Amino acid sequence: MIFYGVLFTVLVASGVNIQYYINSHVPDGCERIHNEFIAKQTTNFTYADVTDCYKSFPLDKDVASKTIDTLTGLMGGFYSFLDKAKESPQPGFDFKAMDLIAELDLFRNKSYTTLYDFTIDVEHLFNDLKDAHTNFGSICFTTFAFYTNMTFYSVVNDGEQKIKVFSDTIDRSNIDCEVTHIDGQKAFQVISEYAKNSVYASRDLGVRFNIALDFTYTVTSFAVRYEIPKKPDITYTLKCNNSNEFDVKRNWVAFSSRTFLNKFNDSKSYFDNFCNPIKGNRQLISTNYKFQEITNIFNSANNLLIEQDQSITRIAVVDNFVGFYQMDDFGVIKILTEHPTVLSNAILDSVIAGFKRLANTGVKKVVLDLSDNLGGYLSIIIFFNLLLFPNTYPSFDFDIRISEQMRLAITEQFKRATKSNIFDMKGYVNAKTYANFTSANDFFGNNVYTRGGVIGNYSNKHTLMNDSINEISQYIQNLTTPVTWKPENYIILTNGLCGSACAFIAQHAVEFNNVTTVAVGGIASNISLSYSSFPGGSVINSTQMFDSLGKLGLLSNNLMPKPLPLTGMSLTFPINEVYSKMNPDEILEFAFKPANFRLFYDEKNIRNITILWSQAAALIGSNR
Ligand SMILES: *[C@@H]1O[C@H](CO)[C@@H](O)[C@H](O)[C@H]1NC(C)=O
Ligand SMILES: *[C@@H]1O[C@H](CO)[C@@H](O)[C@H](O)[C@H]1NC(C)=O
Ligand SMILES: *[C@@H]1O[C@H](CO)[C@@H](O)[C@H](O)[C@H]1NC(C)=O
Ligand SMILES: *[C@@H]1O[C@H](CO)[C@@H](O)[C@H](O)[C@H]1NC(C)=O
Ligand SMILES: *[C@@H]1O[C@H](CO)[C@@H](O)[C@H](O)[C@H]1NC(C)=O
Ligand SMILES: *[C@@H]1O[C@H](CO)[C@@H](O)[C@H](O)[C@H]1NC(C)=O
Ligand SMILES: *[C@@H]1O[C@H](CO)[C@@H](O)[C@H](O)[C@H]1NC(C)=O
Ligand SMILES: *[C@@H]1O[C@H](CO)[C@@H](O)[C@H](O)[C@H]1NC(C)=O
Ligand SMILES: *[C@@H]1O[C@H](CO)[C@@H](O)[C@H](O)[C@H]1NC(C)=O
Ligand SMILES: *[C@@H]1O[C@H](CO)[C@@H](O)[C@H](O)[C@H]1NC(C)=O
Ligand SMILES: *[C@@H]1O[C@H](CO)[C@@H](O)[C@H](O)[C@H]1NC(C)=O
Ligand SMILES: *[C@@H]1O[C@H](CO)[C@@H](O)[C@H](O)[C@H]1NC(C)=O
């Protein structure tokens, strides 16, 4: 399948806990960390150690200005939503409309003492876009995650939204206590502000609130974060069993993994291995999936114990990908990711077999749980869309903002036909005629749109070649007898964190098949909550961009950006736009799509997902 490599995903991770060692006679924080790691074999460190390590690299002015040059070059030349991002949000969304290039230029006149402060400030600017695909950062500052051994959830009681303790591995008697205040401020307010300002993986504030409290560690949250917290400790005011309030003061502890800790012994080696690694070394640590090593530390504590629950029958589980369950009179399909670690025909066969087995139980209703999904492969989107709804077209239409740089790169790729190039458009056909593009100009067309007050050129709309869709569709047909479920027998359940490829699956089900949706959680005073987030476009990173430009001989072209000055830095962003089919002018990334129904978390369903599934199933067939 030729679209295996095309990614619609966002790869983020998170991290960890506390410890106190006085090693303070050693001024180099990175060296202190190394010493403790060797002496005590510990993987958790103090706030002071990690802060001193991270802040030990002074900012080189040349690095700063080259970084800004590269970022403005990449965004100006290739970011699909550069001009669209200047428009104010649709009602229901919450983000700052901005001229990203102008904002980046402001950094040229700011002065910073450390590389950390500069990097984090630039990262924040990108986060303000609230475009989960578009991130700047450095591996240099994501090797530790901060944690206080507590996680949280939110319930609505008598119209009042409260924060409660989900887990506390230090003092279990705190579990389920209400958190009334955090550092003296109302807890709900603190979490809401964190969601508004620090969480970026959705344009919907309610979804960001869910992410702030997410304890599956698919993304950073209020409780588990990469960025150095403002101060070394945090005080939670708890109220348990209607007794008096009391304070729990916790230090932030920084966790890492042995893979990282084995790679440095002082700040110089830290810098050389993480902030500016040479090519060979970089491979070992570059993929974001490595962070799962850290993430796994937390997961063990909070796993949802579906396996042991008597109320549910496990029909089939394709590891770390899809689960099929039966409860009472309904079935559940739980998709965990669109980015399975192994993507093979055998894996897809197992999914089809599970689907068939669930159908054979005779259940008439199906809950499709798409919560906490960060996306994956285009081929997986097509696969699920065809599996669930074989009679509807499985994809949306794309286009590309044609800047001077984009025009040059695509034109060169048409001429040279290099392999694995992000500028390769050969797999796509004209969305109106389904004809192959015969030349670069045929691909570009002459569409001029005004976005954010800027007149820009946009390519012809394109879609997937019938051959590639047919390949997947025939594959599915060979293996399934048609199932009896109709679109009205399904309900899609999410916490809004159904992004990228997941959003494609959810929005396809809704737009093409009128499937009902229910979203759980969010901020109670906001009536609507999105069932998916950041459909975006296909996402690429700066490494792929420069590799592709290199293959086209364009690296030294004056129009093109130069690679980032430190190899630990990286930028990801989407290079195309995705449109609704029914409303052909609607760019999905900027269209607010609330769920038909809303559920809230409570003390029971937060720990027992089968309750939530039953609540969702009860809505199937009811009036929206
Ligand atoms: C840090 O890790 C050590 C074991 O490696 C453990 O004994 C200690 O409790 C941890 N500290 C905290 C605060 O979790
Ligand atoms: C930076 O400062 C210089 C002079 O101090 C000024 O001319 C220039 O306009 C400033 N640039 C930005 C982007 O603010
Ligand atoms: C805190 O959480 C970490 C990660 O789950 C765990 O390894 C550690 O033992 C916990 N610390 C304490 C003191 O319970
Ligand atoms: C609150 O009550 C529950 C049982 O009702 C008990 O397990 C828990 O320890 C109590 N918490 C506190 C802080 O007293
Ligand atoms: C750190 O490790 C490098 C090799 O990885 C070694 O050359 C150097 O001597 C070590 N430094 C210290 C302080 O142990
Ligand atoms: C960039 O993307 C490629 C292809 O998906 C991946 O192999 C590589 O690890 C990514 N690099 C970074 C720095 O994330
Ligand atoms: C379109 O291009 C594909 C390969 O890119 C080729 O297999 C197919 O035959 C072409 N179709 C037509 C009608 O030229
Ligand atoms: C759009 O493309 C035309 C050439 O096809 C070019 O003359 C014009 O400058 C482009 N406009 C923009 C805003 O890039
Ligand atoms: C491709 O598929 C579309 C939609 O299913 C169909 O309308 C069209 O006729 C097909 N085109 C070709 C060339 O097969
Ligand atoms: C599906 O079945 C057809 C006809 O039996 C066969 O020609 C084709 O190779 C099969 N495709 C796959 C992907 O198994
Ligand atoms: C979608 O479903 C709703 C409720 O079942 C119904 O009112 C509406 O007409 C349907 N829309 C379409 C386009 O089928
Ligand atoms: C979860 O809730 C179901 C009802 O939906 C109940 O039958 C089951 O016992 C509960 N499981 C646990 C572990 O409490």
Side-chain angles (χ1 to χ4, degrees), residues 17 22 55 123 141 145 200 253 386 402 415 431 460 469 510 552 560 597:
N17 195 51
I22 315 297
K55 298 210 174 192
E123 195 175 306
F141 306 123
Y200 64 87
V253 177
L386 288 170
I402 305 297
K415 273 189 219 153
N460 277 323
I469 292 174
V510 172
L552 300 173
M560 299 298 178
F597 296 105

Side-chain angles (χ1 to χ4, degrees), residues 420-456:
S420 306
N421 198 302
I422 59 167
F423 299 109
D424 189 357
M425 301 299 150
K426 283 273 190 212
Y428 298 98
V429 292
N430 187 302
K432 274 201 199 110
T433 61
Y434 294 92
N436 283 353
F437 293 110
T438 53
S439 65
N441 281 336
D442 183 22
F443 179 81
F444 297 141
N446 45 23
N447 310 290
V448 175
Y449 311 135
T450 302
R451 302 257 173 88
V454 177
I455 300 170

Side-chain angles (χ1 to χ4, degrees), residues 72 205 479:
T72 52
L205 179 58
L479 287 161

Side-chain angles (χ1 to χ4, degrees), residues 153-171:
Y153 67 103
S154 180
V155 300
V156 185
N157 285 340
D158 305 327
E160 196 197 343
Q161 190 155 14
K162 292 178 177 167
I163 306 296
K164 303 190 88 173
V165 177
F166 180 76
S167 71
D168 183 350
T169 56
I170 291 176
D171 183 354

Side-chain angles (χ1 to χ4, degrees), residues 101-252:
I101 302 294
E103 297 282 340
L104 280 169
D105 276 334
L106 295 178
F107 280 93
R108 297 185 191 282
N109 279 4
K110 289 187 195 164
S111 69
Y112 291 90
T113 314
T114 68
L115 178 63
Y116 176 83
D117 291 337
F118 169 76
T119 306
I120 294 297
D121 246 22
V122 176
E123 195 175 306
H124 286 171
L125 174 64
F126 279 87
N127 290 352
D128 284 345
L129 291 166
K130 306 300 180 194
D131 172 349
H133 288 113
T134 306
N135 297 297
F136 168 72
S138 172
I139 319 166
C140 193
F141 306 123
T142 50
T143 52
F144 294 89
F146 294 87
Y147 181 51
T148 64
N149 282 61
M150 269 184 159
T151 58
F152 309 96
Y153 67 103
S154 180
V155 300
V156 185
N157 285 340
D158 305 327
E160 196 197 343
Q161 190 155 14
K162 292 178 177 167
I163 306 296
K164 303 190 88 173
V165 177
F166 180 76
S167 71
D168 183 350
T169 56
I170 291 176
D171 183 354
R172 295 185 54 86
S173 71
N174 291 332
I175 290 173
D176 284 334
C177 295
E178 181 186 348
V179 186
T180 62
H181 295 81
I182 297 174
D183 285 334
Q185 308 272 97
K186 283 215 177 329
F188 172 70
Q189 220 54 45
V190 172
I191 302 290
S192 302
E193 272 162 36
Y194 187 84
K196 185 164 178 73
N197 301 320
S198 301
V199 179
Y200 64 87
S202 177
R203 296 183 187 275
D204 182 328
L205 179 58
V207 176
R208 298 212 296 277
F209 182 83
N210 280 345
I211 295 171
L213 295 174
D214 203 285
F215 46 77
T216 62
Y217 309 115
T218 42
V219 282
T220 53
S221 61
F222 183 83
V224 179
R225 26 174 127 165
Y226 282 129
E227 205 174 298
I228 304 173
K230 288 211 170 62
K231 54 192 189 61
D233 54 48
I234 187 164
T235 300
Y236 305 108
T237 307
L238 304 187
K239 188 170 194 219
C240 309
N241 301 340
N242 293 319
S243 64
N244 292 333
E245 293 181 359
F246 60 96
D247 284 351
V248 174
K249 185 172 174 183
R250 290 282 166 86
N251 292 316
W252 285 102

Side-chain angles (χ1 to χ4, degrees), residues 81 93 130-133 203 534-537 578 587-591:
F81 302 128
F93 275 158
K130 306 300 180 194
D131 172 349
H133 288 113
R203 296 183 187 275
F534 58 95
V578 185
I587 300 173
L588 296 183
E589 174 71 21
F590 291 86

